[in-house]
Amino acid sequence: MRLGLILVLAFVGLALVVGLVAVLYSGTSAVVLRQVEDLRLSAIEQLNAATGMRLALQSGQLAAQALVSERYRAQVDASHESEWGAARDIDRGAIRDSLQRFGAELERSWEATRAAATRARRRGDPQEADEELTRLSGRLRAIESEFQVYRDHIERFVHLARYHPSEQVQGHVDEVLTPHYEKRMLPLIRAYEEEARSGLAAEAGDIESALTAGNRRNRALAAAALLAAVVLGLLIARSISAPLGRLREAALKVGKGQLDAPLEVAATNEIGVLARAFRQMVEDLKASTVSRAYLDKILQSMKEMLVVTDAGDLIRTVNRETLEALGYAEEELVGRPFAELVEGGEGEGTADALTGERRLIAADGRRVPVAISSAVLEDDEGRVEGIVRVAQSVADRQRAESELRKSLAEKEALLKEVHHRVKNNLQIISSLLNLQEDDGAGAEQTRRLLRESRNRIRSMALIHELLYRSEDLAKIDFAEYLDRLVHHVVRSYGPAGQAVRPELEIEPAPLSLDCAIPCGLIVTELVANAVEHAFPEGRGTVAVRFRTENGRHRLSVADDGRGLPAGLEPAAAGSLGLKLVAALARQLGGELEWTVAGGTEFTVSYDPRAVA
């Protein structure tokens, strides 16, 4: 038989096999591409829309809390009234924007759900499509119904924030708005989100199955092409075996997907013609076939972590997001049990039980909170081949929820503390004035007594003034407080105070109000007493010191004046100020000491942890 006829017959058969490979490979690629497009347009779109709805609600809640905070500031301090107007408009705009964004994401969810059902019907499963549409539509209608209620609650909240007291606004947030958000809206959105996530995992499993089946068929046909090439090599003469061998090697590479493999055959006979035809076929494949690398790029572009394991739950492949989020190299994860990456996962009964909200262990020991969904991969005979897991980070959601809970707790504590402090301070002022009245002072001492009372009241008012300007509503900067307090007391004595030089050595420390108010009154009394009585010749120095030693606070007020009269006990002295100092020291649960040597020094030492 002529070489041309042999080659024609042999290569016709080979071309048919290779053509079949190309056709099947193209069909597999088209199926995979179609499924990937459906995945992007349905499950991923639904998941993104659900996340958008949840974030819109969270931003609305935060804006509502900000509006309540500004309302409190405007109610407590009239100087913030003008700022309240601007902040109110900004926060109301943010609240309405969150409602509009929620509505847009809800409409986006409806569109994605209808589109998913339409594509499912086109794939030939109308009953499943109708069931899925009915189930998801029911969830969306429930969300839509609760959203109308939530919108009414928001409108009521905006009205209350504009025209009603802050307590009523806060009550509406705590009793109506927040419970409806947490107990009605969020569970419905999370249920819809879980449906979308389950759909995503299922469709990803279908893609992997389609790809695996297609590769199996392509490998079988490539093997057939190799066998045909071997038979052809045995039939033809040695003179053409070398170029045919090169042609065979090129065919193997093409069968493995290497469409850029070179083919150099310089023969001018039928083999040369065949080689040129083969090169043209490869070019056609390049133009009509999607490579596996392209599919890998699609999977690598996912923003969620993707981990694929084998039947023994050993990791086979991961995407780029997994490596970046956990800080591993790919070779460190491939072949490793997936349970080792899950905190507490090694004690789980089954591999596919590692789902739900868990924490993954990063390379540097960090714990990354994620929500894991999984789908089992099965072969054509129903045997488990592996598991596909998609893990989405929930750190931002948990951080936002934690900040929201912290903000709510802080507002509640602040409201209680304001009422408590105002009541106590008014009681203190009343008691001080009663003590002054019982002191029996004559009319000629009225001005001095009023100055003493004003100084005592100022020591408490200054705490509230600093508290309003502080970011920490439970503690104040004690160094700034004493600096302003001491200079105010000295200045209140006019010319007599101008001759006294205050010296302060204050260790920076934030103090609670239970400690700061008694300490401020003690300093007020002792500094006033020193300015008024310690310097008969007019000039002198008053030193105020505060530091922490072995967990105890040590507060001292010293002067270089004439000192206390011999044998005088502050607790038994006739002066109301010294009696008050002794009483305040007992209130702190501390110890009051005094020395007279070149002046007088009073020291109060107490444990701040024992102060109620």
Side-chain angles (χ1 to χ4, degrees), residues 230-290:
V230 171
V231 173
L232 180 62
L234 295 175
L235 293 177
I236 62 178
R238 292 176 58 88
S239 59
I240 61 172
S241 61
L244 286 181
R246 292 194 294 271
L247 184 60
R248 180 178 62 86
E249 292 175 0
L252 290 175
K253 292 178 180 180
V254 170
K256 295 177 180 179
Q258 301 178 18
L259 301 182
D260 294 326
L263 176 61
E264 298 295 334
V265 176
T268 58
N269 54 17
E270 291 92 338
I271 297 177
V273 175
L274 182 60
R276 290 190 293 272
F278 188 83
R279 283 196 292 268
Q280 183 60 46
M281 180 191 66
V282 171
E283 293 299 325
D284 294 338
L285 285 175
K286 289 181 181 180
S288 60
T289 303
V290 176

Side-chain angles (χ1 to χ4, degrees), residues 257-336:
Q258 301 178 18
L259 301 182
D260 294 326
L263 176 61
E264 298 295 334
V265 176
T268 58
N269 54 17
E270 291 92 338
I271 297 177
V273 175
L274 182 60
R276 290 190 293 272
F278 188 83
R279 283 196 292 268
Q280 183 60 46
M281 180 191 66
V282 171
E283 293 299 325
D284 294 338
L285 285 175
K286 289 181 181 180
S288 60
T289 303
V290 176
S291 66
R292 183 166 183 169
Y294 181 74
L295 180 59
D296 288 338
K297 289 179 180 179
I298 295 175
L299 298 178
Q300 293 295 336
S301 66
M302 290 178 58
K303 295 303 181 182
E304 291 77 20
M305 290 177 266
L306 176 68
V307 180
V308 181
T309 62
D310 59 16
D313 210 35
L314 299 179
I315 297 176
R316 291 170 51 190
T317 184
V318 295
N319 67 348
R320 185 184 302 109
E321 182 66 22
T322 304
L323 301 178
E324 293 177 355
L326 301 181
Y328 290 101
E330 186 173 5
E331 55 269 21
E332 293 178 304
L333 294 181
V334 174
R336 182 176 176 180

